[in-house]
């Protein structure tokens, strides 16, 4: 009897510890939609930039884009836990000179590969930054901005660190606009951006796409004079920009064989963005 009781207690304790460990990596209140599961998001915390882009655009080709915006561009990539430990030397050899790394999601997820990805890209010579996957239905913008800034989203004027990015896009766990009105979403975004700037001194980059931004913010122009735009469009041309932005700063143009991006300017301008 004592053996059976001990075994039962051990199993219970093991399950409890496992649930605590899991809670550090993901939110237990969010469950991926069937569509999100088709895109590899099997549990809360696994959302990544542009997870639904190939459902909303006509091509995911890896052919080099023709619409470069300026004569000079800098190539880069973005990564999340889906890439695991990244071979940064390889990607440097492929001509990638900057990287954005997912740091956080909501207020309960931290990318378990963040240190290897964030420090590894820096050590190989890349200019790197961190991004936060927003869940506007789970907590305030200020709360998530603070969580991000505390857990990898900070900034320093070292010439190698880009301002943090707010990844605001399709909801992999439910309603597309997270249950918010357009005005409510604009207010949430403003709350995040204001708090992030108060924490770091930098205006965060906004990652989004035309369809989501139009649907969920009414295509607001509230941020186009202060926050750099990172637009997602998987095509050979960047197309119409959301929110009245006159130009894009980053463009995510494909997910093949990894999320690839272009900075709209030469390397000196990328350094200038890093230096603030």
């Amino acid at each position: 009897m004592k053996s059976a009781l001990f075994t039962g207690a051990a199993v219970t304790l093991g399950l409890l510890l496992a649930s605590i460990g899991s809670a550090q990596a993901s939110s237990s209140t969010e469950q991926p939609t069937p569509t999100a599961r088709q895109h590899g998001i099997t549990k809360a915390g696994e959302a990544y930039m542009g997870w639904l882009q190939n459902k909303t655009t006509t091509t995911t080709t890896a052919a080099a884009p023709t619409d470069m915006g300026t004569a000079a561009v800098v190539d880069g990539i973005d990564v999340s836990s889906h890439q695991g430990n990244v071979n940064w030397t390889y990607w440097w050899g492929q001509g990638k000179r900057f990287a954005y790394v997912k740091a956080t999601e909501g207020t309960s997820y931290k990318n378990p590969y963040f240190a290897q990805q964030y420090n590894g890209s820096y050590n190989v010579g890349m200019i790197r930054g961190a991004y936060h996957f927003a869940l506007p239905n789970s907590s305030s913008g200020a709360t998530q901005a603070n969580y991000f800034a505390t857990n990898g989203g900070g900034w320093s004027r070292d010439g190698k660190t880009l301002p943090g990015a707010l990844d605001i896009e399709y909801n992999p766990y439910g309603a597309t606009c997270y249950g918010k009105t357009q005005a409510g979403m604009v207010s949430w975004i403003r709350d995040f951006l204001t708090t992030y700037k108060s924490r770091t001194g930098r205006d965060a980059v906004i990652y989004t796409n035309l369809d989501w931004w139009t649907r969920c913010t009414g295509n607001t122009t509230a941020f186009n004079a202060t926050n750099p735009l990172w637009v997602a469009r998987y095509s050979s041309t960047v197309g119409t920009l959301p929110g009245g932005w006159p130009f894009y700063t980053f463009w995510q143009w494909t997910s093949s064989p990894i999320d690839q991006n272009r900075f709209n300017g030469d390397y000196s301008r990328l350094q200038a963005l890093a230096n603030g």
Side-chain angles (χ1 to χ4, degrees):
M1 180 66 70
K2 289 176 63 177
S3 176
L5 288 173
F6 177 79
T7 300
V11 170
T12 301
L13 178 59
L15 291 173
L16 176 61
L17 291 175
S19 67
I20 292 172
S22 176
Q24 294 176 347
S26 64
S27 167
S28 61
T29 61
E30 302 286 0
Q31 293 299 321
T33 64
T35 300
R37 290 182 183 277
Q38 292 173 7
H39 290 263
I41 302 173
T42 62
K43 59 185 177 182
E46 291 186 346
Y48 55 90
M49 278 187 166
W51 72 271
L52 197 57
Q53 285 307 300
N54 61 352
K55 288 288 187 180
T56 58
T57 52
T58 58
T59 179
T60 57
T61 179
T66 57
D67 181 355
M68 298 183 187
T70 64
V73 297
V74 183
D75 289 317
I77 60 175
D78 64 84
V79 297
S80 67
S81 63
H82 289 266
Q83 282 71 46
N85 291 322
V86 176
N87 184 341
W88 291 108
T89 300
Y90 171 80
W91 288 111
W92 179 267
Q94 296 299 304
K96 309 308 179 185
R97 293 297 179 261
F98 71 89
Y100 264 98
V101 177
K102 181 179 178 179
T104 50
E105 178 177 320
T107 56
S108 60
Y109 175 86
K110 293 181 283 186
N111 176 8
Y113 294 95
F114 180 77
Q116 191 277 342
Q117 295 174 348
Y118 193 69
N119 296 331
S121 53
Y122 179 95
N123 290 337
V124 82
M126 292 185 187
I127 298 176
R128 49 71 157 124
Y131 79 84
H132 173 79
F133 194 97
L135 299 180
N137 61 325
S138 68
S139 59
S140 70
T143 298
Q144 292 192 34
N146 280 317
Y147 184 74
F148 175 48
T150 298
N151 294 289
W155 176 79
S156 61
R157 189 176 280 110
D158 59 4
K160 298 294 289 293
T161 303
L162 293 163
L166 171 64
D167 179 358
I168 188 88
E169 57 173 304
Y170 303 104
N171 181 8
Y173 310 113
T176 297
C177 298
Y178 301 85
K180 292 192 173 295
T181 64
Q182 292 176 341
M185 184 63 75
V186 172
S187 178
W188 190 96
I189 294 169
R190 182 177 291 110
D191 193 29
F192 182 99
L193 298 175
T194 300
T195 303
Y196 183 79
K197 186 169 185 177
S198 72
R199 285 289 304 271
T200 66
R202 295 302 306 272
D203 288 305
V205 176
I206 296 176
Y207 170 96
T208 195
N209 63 77
L210 177 63
D211 176 70
W212 186 92
W213 193 258
T214 300
R215 280 205 244 176
C216 299
T217 76
N219 208 24
T220 182
T221 60
F223 311 110
N224 64 29
T226 52
N227 298 88
L229 172 66
W230 186 351
V231 64
R233 186 170 192 261
Y234 291 4
S235 182
S236 59
T237 60
V238 74
T240 301
L241 298 179
W245 268 277
F247 58 89
Y248 67 89
T249 298
F250 297 101
W251 171 20
Q252 185 190 66
W253 59 274
T254 186
S255 61
S256 178
I258 197 170
D259 286 357
Q260 297 190 57
N261 303 276
R262 283 196 159 170
F263 171 75
N264 194 6
D266 64 21
Y267 190 76
S268 69
R269 298 313 305 159
L270 182 64
Q271 289 177 310
L273 178 62
N275 281 318

